[in-house]
Amino acid sequence: MIKLKSIAIIDDDPITVFGIKKMLSALNVSENINSYVNGKEAIDDFKRIIQNKEEVPEVIFLDINMPIMDGWQFLEEFITLPITHKIRINILTSSIDPADRENWKFYMTRTHHIIDYKNKPIQKKEIEEITKAA
């Protein structure tokens, strides 16, 4: 199995972050797993990474409902970044609001990145599929 260079988790829930990190570690898919508590923290770091000519994470796990900058606001900025290769963005949410699914469909049409939508809690099998398909 080819290891991913880096994975990002953008979620303000420490239990979710812990669980995803634990499953990723068990699958041994990447040595570099970074987490961010909101979209602003992540987008600022990604801009720094791009400015330093480093590589943006190949897989992103993105929560929708977060303080400061939510997942939709993050996506709005992320899709404008000068990233030519496809990033796999996995929206993870406990939301049952149909508007969130509509937003997901809207963003899928606005970018070359792969955007998926999954409900929390995410299972190890799903993480394995996500990281293989990257």
Side-chain angles (χ1 to χ4, degrees):
M1 179 202 263
I2 298 169
K3 277 194 178 186
L4 300 170
K5 289 180 185 157
S6 123
I7 296 173
I9 305 166
I10 308 169
D11 198 315
D12 62 325
D13 177 17
I15 294 168
T16 298
V17 172
F18 175 80
I20 293 171
K21 279 186 174 180
K22 189 129 177 105
M23 288 184 273
L24 287 167
S25 293
L27 293 167
N28 196 26
V29 292
S30 179
E31 296 295 324
N32 189 10
I33 303 167
N34 292 310
S35 60
Y36 306 92
V37 294
N38 62 61
K40 173 104 174 81
E41 190 180 286
I43 205 76
D44 288 348
D45 194 41
F46 292 173
K47 286 177 181 176
R48 179 197 58 78
I49 288 168
I50 291 166
Q51 187 174 20
N52 292 339
K53 297 186 176 15
E54 298 169 13
E55 290 190 39
V56 175
E58 295 152 284
V59 172
I60 298 171
F61 293 93
L62 177 64
D63 186 24
I64 295 175
N65 298 311
M66 296 176 287
I68 302 172
M69 178 186 274
D70 68 23
W72 302 126
Q73 292 166 319
F74 168 83
L75 271 178
E76 191 65 39
E77 277 204 50
F78 183 83
I79 63 175
T80 67
L81 296 177
I83 303 168
T84 54
H85 59 286
K86 287 184 181 184
I87 306 295
R88 186 174 187 96
I89 302 166
N90 304 278
I91 297 169
L92 299 179
T93 184
S94 52
S95 171
I96 58 170
D97 186 346
D100 286 329
R101 281 204 174 268
E102 291 305 313
N103 277 338
W104 163 56
K105 290 174 186 172
F106 171 72
Y107 281 102
M108 283 177 50
T109 66
R110 295 190 52 215
T111 184
H112 67 284
H113 300 299
I114 301 162
I115 304 178
D116 204 356
Y117 187 97
K118 299 201 180 300
N119 287 97
K120 289 182 182 178
I122 191 163
Q123 304 298 313
K124 187 176 177 183
K125 182 182 171 193
E126 292 172 300
I127 287 181
E128 192 171 15
E129 288 169 17
I130 288 165
T131 54
K132 273 185 188 170

